[in-house]
Amino acid sequence: MSSAVVLQTAATPASPALVLRPWRMADAAALVEASGDPATRQWASSVVDDEADGARWVQAQQRDWATGERFGFAVLEARPAPVCEQLVGSVVLKEVASGKPAAEVGYWTAAHARGRGVAPRALEALTNWAFDTFGADGLERLELLHQVDNLASCRVAQKSRYGFDTILPAAPPSFPRDGHLHIRRRTSD
């Protein structure tokens, strides 16, 4: 899988267009800043505390792209040149494998970008790409998991047409509370 994949979403009245692309080392400082937010730290499975952590995290994302195990995208607000794009979040497709019918998606939104529809738009772009790219290889459904008390993630799942499926029991330490499983199935053409 090429790490040159770039996805885009259109602008809305509340938010500029989004660009989703694989993580780059230049993103480490913005990643550290976003990870400092208490809500991000509460819900994220991993956070970074400094630029060295950020660099290691980005390198892990790049390795995962190279092996095809995980496809993490930095989500950026598109800006007219010469202004740089601004990091507003992340989306990821994980546990995808040839012949395996299900994979998992995940996401987070930077504090300064919340409430503008970033996560649902980025998740929709990732969902479409996943089914377009891996559907012929057997991908039939995408699973979205979040802790039961993460109401914002539940709203993102609903807005993104991931239907509630079941409550999952806690699995500490990585999943310390019960969770919701939401599923989106590939539609037939």
Side-chain angles (χ1 to χ4, degrees), residues 105-124:
V105 296
Y107 51 87
W108 55 261
T109 304
H112 64 86
R114 291 188 190 125
R116 298 192 332 234
V118 169
R121 291 188 303 138
L123 183 57
E124 185 66 24

Side-chain angles (χ1 to χ4, degrees), residues 8-180:
Q8 298 183 15
T9 72
T12 70
S15 185
L18 299 176
V19 175
L20 288 68
R21 59 150 173 78
W23 287 89
R24 300 176 184 162
M25 290 307 292
D27 299 323
L31 175 63
V32 171
E33 182 179 334
S35 289
D37 171 58
T40 301
R41 294 179 88 77
Q42 177 181 3
W43 303 118
S45 58
S46 64
V47 292
V48 297
D49 291 317
D50 56 37
E51 288 221 28
D53 283 348
R56 282 189 291 276
W57 191 88
V58 170
Q59 288 170 337
Q61 300 301 307
Q62 293 172 337
R63 277 192 307 274
D64 290 345
W65 264 96
T67 63
E69 293 177 22
R70 182 179 167 113
F71 303 97
F73 291 85
V75 179
L76 306 124
E77 282 187 341
R79 302 270 173 105
V83 178
C84 292
E85 299 167 329
Q86 182 179 23
L87 180 70
V88 292
S90 175
V91 292
V92 62
L93 175 68
K94 48 191 171 179
E95 300 177 18
V96 63
S98 181
K100 185 178 172 193
E104 185 181 340
V105 296
Y107 51 87
W108 55 261
T109 304
H112 64 86
R114 291 188 190 125
R116 298 192 332 234
V118 169
R121 291 188 303 138
L123 183 57
E124 185 66 24
L126 178 73
T127 298
N128 292 335
W129 175 77
F131 285 137
D132 289 348
T133 304
F134 300 103
D137 215 17
L139 182 64
E140 297 171 8
R141 73 179 181 279
L142 294 173
E143 299 176 348
L144 183 159
L145 292 80
H146 66 83
Q147 294 178 22
V148 293
D149 51 346
N150 189 337
L151 302 179
S153 277
C154 206
R155 285 190 300 272
V156 169
Q158 293 165 349
K159 288 178 184 178
S160 303
R161 297 175 292 144
Y162 279 74
F164 175 76
D165 185 71
T166 192
I167 294 180
L168 301 172
S174 60
F175 214 70
R177 295 176 213 54
D178 289 350
H180 283 178

